[in-house]
Amino acid sequence: MRFLAVILCTASLCAAADYSTGQAARLVIGQPTFTAQQPGASATILGGVGGIAYANGTLVVADSNRIGASPANERVLIFRNLGSQLPAPDASIPVSDARCPVCLGSADIVLGQEDFTKNDDKRTRAGNTVRQPTAVATDGRRLAVADTNNNRVLIWNDLPTRNDQPADLVLGQASMTTAGAGTSNTALKGPQGVWIHGDRLFVADTQNHRVLIWNRFPTANNAAADVVLGFADFNTTKQGLIPDPSPSSLLNPVAVTSDGTRLFVSDLGHNRVLIWNSVPTANNASADIVLGQPDFSSSSADNSSKLCESNGKDDDGNDTYPSRCAATMNFPRFALSDGQRLFVADGGNDRVLVYNAFPTRNGQPADVVLGQPAPETSQISNSDSSRWSASDAMRTPLALATDGTNLFVADPFNRRVLVYTPGERLIPNAGVRNAAAREIFAVGVLAFSGEAKKDEEVKLKIGEKEYNYKIGENSSIRIVLDGLAALVNAGAGDPLVLASVNQTVNALIFTAREAGPNGNNVQIEVSTTPETTAAIIPSSLNVTLSGGQDAAQIAPYSLVSLIGDNLSSTTASADMNADELPRELGGVEVYFDGIRAPLLFVSPTQINAQIPREVSDAQSVTAFVRIRRSDGSITTTTAVGVPIITENPGIFAEEGTDPRPAIARHGSSFATGTILFTGQPAKDDIAYVTIEDREYSVTVAENESIISVRDRMATLISEQDPRVTAQATQSFGTWLQIRARVPGVEGEGITFAGRTKDGSFTVSPTNTATCCARVEDAMVTSENPAVPGQYIKIIATGLGLVQEEEARNAMITGRKYSGPGASQPNEFVSALAGAKTANVIYARLLPGTFGLYEVMLELNNDIPTNPFTQLTIAQSFQVSNIVTLPVVNPAEQ
């Protein structure tokens, strides 16, 4: 297992305990996993959550919204003593059988419904009914609810202690049974924001385009407000007209909050947040600062041309701008201060903006973005649901709350409340990677044939850069290729690709400099001069790199490497002879969805661990590391999101620069051959296999499968043939393996063939004679290379769950696999070696190992000699990293 030991990295990382752009939530409330998105109503399942508030250990949730997130459960939930249930950032989470120990919270009280399972839309107004409650506020003693569709605010003078408890007071209505809308110092119209601070009450009276302030907390129904913002008096309204943006105007304000000194209003319709540096005491007071806009007269959503730095020029030389940046806003829905920082729920951009200090100027950019990997990006797409409910993503965040340590985010379309926690940024985004693959680079091949003639030219265009090579006297194709590669790699090298030369097949190999899917966008154009009569001939005029994959997408049960900085105070390895891996190693604990992961290796720059098989029910998990330092102090890293997919293979290789030499072994000490059975046999059809001059036949019975025909042929040959045995292989195809009865070269050269009578199925040999006996499990090296037609074994991880139930049940996280040898991955495994198909004889879990798979390949019969033959395996659309293999073709000697 040395091949799992060390992966060195990385760039300098910030080690301050704070929020950081792109981090994941550490905890989740309202769903059994981060990505479950279960609908319904219960004490633990939330619907389209709209409003949240937190005080004195109690979380209050308005389980409804006005943006169409379903279900709107028409209720308010109270989670008493939730603070005691949330693990502290530096706490060790005990090992348990729980699927997600960081998926927390069971409500104690429900308001607006008789019990936790009901979500009726109640049309009758009363003190215990609500219709689309969109916001809540509490100071730990009192509770206020914006009962939006009833045009009122309900107040409980003390936090409720029983289900369906009626409110004590109502604002906006003369009594608990009325619901009319109006514009006065006592009337409301669709209020969507409410806030309590000290003795003051604040209400965002949304459809009246104003904010109301009660300087003393109301003690009677229909109490009159003292101050109005947005208008000069309480009775003025725009009567359906859109208010123009100004320092004092508002358009559909949806939230109002205060830290006791400042006032923050989310002015939704103007795509901005207004800040008053002191709580206004006079009507129509002007704000002091605007965020999301360059000035008080602007209101465009994502006003990037006024707030963002240019990202280039268009064809006419004009500046271009990103769609968004850290200073822009699109329908901001909540602004909240924790006394030090300011948080803004930038709903239309599916993110939360974090200002590490209070903004002091208009249009000031945020310091951190949560929910997106960068300020300019938008990872939520209507056409791709795989990222919707990721642990590091959100959709239209509506409200925020804080307990002084954690930030709570209402994520309505994902039916959950996310809990973000500051930490030390020791692992970058995408820092959890397939332990074998590391990086998967796109590759393109350009071969040349013909003759290198003096004064002819070869031109390459890679992206926007062009390279011209003029052929000199007494040249050759090899010299031309070396010259082209030198041009591409000169100086700092081409920004898009690295060029290398395959001498055996006279080809240029282009490897993308950027790992992952972005490398698949690189295009290369080739031309020769003279264009039509040049003696040197490229294999193609256009090459598009392909095969770039994201090694940070992880399959359950995979071995992974967490890459970072200062991840431990020591270097330690697990005992690989033990039957079970430790869950703590060198003072390090790794958590995936709160499940403490098995550990193989820890060092300051890398941790090797196993992704729990249990996370196969999710599309994303949250990951963080707890580190006990040598001085006894505890460090917890910022959580990062880990995308989970069903399979994403990686091949283990030696250390070095990609593509690296594969850790490959010779497959058999006996000479072998392979026959493929395909199709659907019909009754009385006949399969024939000939070994030298001995023919064996199987007549198809009624309703007999191709597998049965193959297996009967294997038995027949094994029982009767003097020189070979035959056996079915554990594979995705119906292979029959012919194997010499004696080891070594003595068994090579035994001829065989296959055919059928009547042709409803096929019996197709992949070669004509047994070959390639090598010492089984000896390493494939340049001194002991592979040969065409040979079986080789590679070791991989990330192939996902397996088909056989007994084997699947034996896939126990952190424990050596001890199940049956028949353990075929659910998804078909294919392979390419030297740009030719390599037959996958079998892919299986490797007994006696942790999270490893063994893949047996049969190399193509005419694969050429190449000390750096490139090899990949693939499942579905997921391609492994590229590894190399020394191959010698005796026919070329």
Side-chain angles (χ1 to χ4, degrees):
M1 299 287 287
R2 273 302 282 179
F3 48 84
L4 294 178
V6 179
I7 297 177
L8 295 176
C9 191
T10 60
S12 176
L13 299 172
C14 176
D18 212 332
Y19 296 99
S20 56
T21 295
Q23 76 170 80
R26 184 173 67 105
L27 316 171
V28 67
I29 297 167
Q31 292 293 324
T33 69
F34 278 89
T35 62
Q37 296 179 291
Q38 289 184 11
S42 73
T44 57
I45 297 296
L46 294 174
V49 52
I52 54 176
Y54 189 97
N56 292 346
T58 296
L59 178 71
V60 184
V61 174
D63 197 11
S64 187
N65 64 87
R66 296 198 79 186
I67 61 171
S70 66
N73 281 333
E74 309 296 350
R75 63 182 188 170
V76 171
L77 298 177
I78 300 176
F79 297 77
R80 294 188 297 194
N81 300 316
L82 180 69
S84 64
Q85 302 175 40
L86 304 180
D90 61 353
S92 176
I93 301 174
V95 176
S96 72
D97 294 330
R99 162 59 186 85
C100 181
V102 295
C103 303
L104 304 165
S106 180
D108 302 282
I109 304 292
V110 60
L111 303 177
Q113 303 290 343
E114 290 83 359
D115 57 52
F116 290 106
T117 63
K118 293 184 172 60
N119 61 354
D120 303 331
D121 182 2
K122 298 181 178 180
R123 303 283 172 167
T124 302
R125 268 79 62 187
N128 62 340
T129 64
V130 289
R131 291 191 62 217
Q132 284 203 336
T134 58
V136 290
T138 182
D139 59 1
R141 178 171 65 87
R142 298 166 293 194
L143 172 65
V145 175
D147 187 13
T148 305
N149 278 12
N150 281 326
N151 300 301
R152 65 185 186 176
V153 170
L154 296 176
I155 294 175
W156 286 258
N157 290 326
D158 295 289
L159 283 175
T161 57
R162 67 181 189 277
N163 291 346
D164 207 27
Q165 183 174 327
D168 299 302
L169 300 175
V170 62
L171 300 180
Q173 302 295 328
S175 72
M176 295 288 186
T177 60
T178 59
T183 306
S184 70
N185 61 354
T186 60
L188 298 170
K189 187 177 182 181
Q192 293 187 47
V194 62
W195 187 257
I196 300 171
H197 193 280
D199 208 29
R200 285 191 176 107
L201 177 71
F202 305 84
V203 173
D205 190 12
T206 306
Q207 289 180 260
N208 276 326
H209 309 299
R210 64 183 188 175
V211 166
L212 300 179
I213 304 173
W214 284 258
N215 288 328
R216 297 190 65 183
F217 202 85
T219 57
N221 289 345
N222 212 29
D226 299 295
V227 178
V228 60
L229 301 179
F231 296 102
D233 59 65
F234 290 99
N235 301 312
T236 303
T237 176
K238 283 288 187 178
Q239 297 180 344
L241 299 177
I242 298 176
D244 295 326
S246 75
S248 59
S249 68
L250 299 170
L251 177 59
N252 293 124
V254 289
V256 55
T257 65
S258 175
D259 59 6
T261 300
R262 304 171 185 85
L263 185 73
F264 309 95
V265 174
S266 301
D267 190 12
L268 182 79
H270 287 144
N271 297 292
R272 64 185 187 176
V273 168
L274 296 178
I275 301 175
W276 285 259
N277 288 332
S278 59
V279 176
T281 57
N283 292 348
N284 208 32
S286 294
D288 298 293
I289 297 172
V290 60
L291 301 178
Q293 300 297 338
D295 51 54
F296 287 105
S297 60
S298 302
S299 61
S300 298
D302 285 326
N303 200 349
S304 59
S305 65
K306 300 293 179 61
L307 292 169
C308 307
E309 293 185 4
S310 171
N311 59 1
K313 301 281 187 181
D314 62 17
D315 292 340
D316 297 324
N318 300 313
D319 287 336
T320 58
Y321 298 90
S323 298
R324 62 194 61 78
C325 65
T328 65
M329 294 183 187
N330 185 346
F331 283 175
R333 294 187 173 272
F334 207 91
L336 176 72
S337 166
D338 66 356
Q340 173 187 348
R341 291 163 288 210
L342 179 67
F343 305 94
V344 175
D346 188 13
N349 283 321
D350 302 307
R351 64 186 187 177
V352 171
L353 303 175
V354 183
Y355 299 80
N356 287 330
F358 286 112
T360 57
R361 57 184 172 86
N362 294 342
Q364 185 170 325
D367 300 294
V368 172
V369 174
L370 304 178
Q372 302 290 346
E376 299 78 22
T377 59
S378 176
Q379 64 176 334
I380 302 300
S381 165
N382 290 335
S383 61
D384 180 12
S385 62
S386 64
R387 296 293 299 152
W388 285 0
S389 57
S391 62
D392 55 356
M394 59 187 75
R395 288 194 291 161
T396 318
L398 289 186
L400 307 170
T402 180
D403 62 3
T405 298
N406 302 291
L407 177 69
F408 300 81
V409 180
D411 188 12
F413 286 101
N414 290 318
R415 302 163 180 157
R416 64 188 183 179
V417 173
L418 296 171
V419 185
Y420 286 86
T421 307
E424 294 199 11
R425 188 59 158 173
L426 304 182
I427 301 173
N429 296 338
V432 181
R433 311 190 71 77
N434 183 300
R438 304 184 186 173
E439 304 281 9
I440 306 177
F441 296 84
V443 171
V445 179
L446 177 64
F448 284 84
S449 59
E451 183 181 356
K453 280 196 171 182
K454 184 177 182 294
D455 293 333
E456 289 186 355
E457 285 187 280
V458 179
K459 299 180 180 180
L460 300 177
K461 184 178 181 182
I462 304 172
E464 297 301 319
K465 294 195 70 173
E466 293 187 359
Y467 303 92
N468 299 329
Y469 181 85
K470 190 171 184 178
I471 300 175
E473 195 170 1
N474 299 321
S475 191
S476 66
I477 290 180
R478 168 64 191 281
I479 293 174
V480 173
L481 297 183
D482 286 342
L484 286 168
L487 285 174
V488 173
N489 298 332
D494 186 272
L496 298 179
V497 300
L498 172 73
S500 57
V501 177
N502 184 313
Q503 304 173 12
T504 305
V505 295
N506 285 334
L508 281 172
I509 310 297
F510 299 101
T511 303
R513 288 191 179 274
E514 182 178 0
N518 286 344
N520 298 328
N521 299 323
V522 177
Q523 293 185 330
I524 300 172
E525 298 177 10
V526 190
S527 62
T528 58
T529 303
E531 187 172 347
T532 57
T533 60
I536 191 167
I537 304 170
S539 58
S540 175
L541 298 180
N542 294 280
V543 177
T544 301
L545 272 58
S546 62
Q549 299 288 340
D550 188 352
Q553 296 185 38
I554 308 297
Y557 199 67
S558 298
L559 298 185
V560 296
S561 293
L562 291 82
I563 310 228
D565 186 38
N566 200 22
L567 296 177
S568 74
S569 296
T570 185
T571 297
S573 298
D575 179 4
M576 303 313 295
N577 293 316
D579 291 330
E580 196 156 347
L581 292 171
R583 305 291 174 127
E584 180 179 351
L585 183 63
V588 172
E589 300 166 14
V590 174
Y591 295 94
F592 297 106
D593 274 7
I595 302 171
R596 202 186 296 184
L599 301 177
L600 298 94
F601 172 82
V602 300
S603 77
T605 57
Q606 177 192 326
I607 300 169
N608 288 336
Q610 185 180 31
I611 287 277
R613 177 201 160 175
E614 291 79 359
V615 305
S616 60
D617 62 353
Q619 292 178 307
S620 170
V621 298
T622 192
F624 54 90
V625 179
R626 180 180 185 268
I627 307 156
R628 187 178 67 254
R629 302 292 184 189
S630 55
D631 63 2
S633 63
I634 301 296
T635 299
T636 303
T637 67
T638 302
V640 296
V642 182
I644 301 296
I645 58 177
T646 52
E647 60 277 324
N648 195 11
I651 304 173
F652 284 103
E654 301 288 352
E655 296 304 320
T657 303
D658 285 314
R660 296 168 288 140
I663 296 172
R665 295 169 293 147
H666 292 283
S668 177
S669 298
F670 297 81
T672 57
T674 310
I675 301 174
L676 178 62
F677 285 62
T678 57
Q680 179 56 55
K683 185 177 183 297
D684 295 330
D685 284 354
I686 303 175
Y688 298 95
V689 171
T690 301
I691 309 295
E692 297 180 323
D693 59 353
R694 302 174 296 281
E695 185 172 75
Y696 303 93
S697 64
V698 171
T699 301
V700 178
E702 189 169 5
N703 298 323
E704 188 171 14
S705 70
I706 191 73
I707 293 175
S708 174
V709 173
R710 186 269 316 267
D711 291 350
R712 286 208 287 142
M713 180 64 77
T715 300
L716 184 63
I717 293 172
S718 293
E719 290 177 348
Q720 297 186 18
D721 196 86
R723 298 202 65 191
V724 302
T725 63
Q727 63 181 14
T729 62
Q730 309 159 20
S731 66
F732 300 97
T734 43
W735 300 103
L736 179 70
Q737 183 189 66
I738 304 297
R739 194 175 84 161
R741 289 186 181 272
V742 296
V745 295
E746 186 179 341
E748 294 183 354
I750 301 172
T751 61
F752 60 93
R755 63 187 178 90
T756 61
K757 178 180 176 296
D758 294 335
S760 62
F761 67 107
T762 61
V763 177
S764 308
T766 62
N767 43 22
T768 59
T770 58
C771 78
C772 320
R774 296 292 188 273
V775 176
E776 185 170 358
D777 290 330
M779 300 300 296
V780 176
T781 64
S782 56
E783 294 78 21
N784 188 15
V787 296
Q790 181 193 348
Y791 285 7
I792 63 167
K793 300 174 185 177
I794 57 173
I795 304 299
T797 193
L799 274 62
L801 303 186
V802 297
Q803 297 178 11
E804 294 81 4
E805 183 177 3
E806 183 182 356
R808 192 164 57 250
N809 291 339
M811 296 176 74
I812 300 172
T813 301
R815 193 174 300 174
K816 278 184 178 177
Y817 176 71
S818 59
S823 50
Q824 182 170 277
N826 283 331
E827 181 62 38
F828 179 82
V829 179
S830 62
L832 284 175
K836 298 177 182 293
T837 298
N839 297 319
V840 176
I841 303 304
Y842 67 73
R844 63 170 188 166
L845 290 165
L846 187 57
T849 68
F850 304 97
L852 298 183
Y853 301 74
E854 182 179 71
V855 181
M856 176 85 88
L857 306 175
E858 181 186 45
L859 297 178
N860 196 284
N861 282 322
D862 60 355
I863 189 171
T865 296
N866 184 356
F868 305 106
T869 298
Q870 293 191 344
L871 169 67
T872 60
I873 60 175
Q875 292 176 285
S876 185
F877 298 106
Q878 307 302 321
V879 182
S880 73
N881 53 315
I882 302 169
V883 296
T884 62
L885 190 74
V887 175
V888 172
N889 189 331
E892 298 174 358
Q893 304 302 307

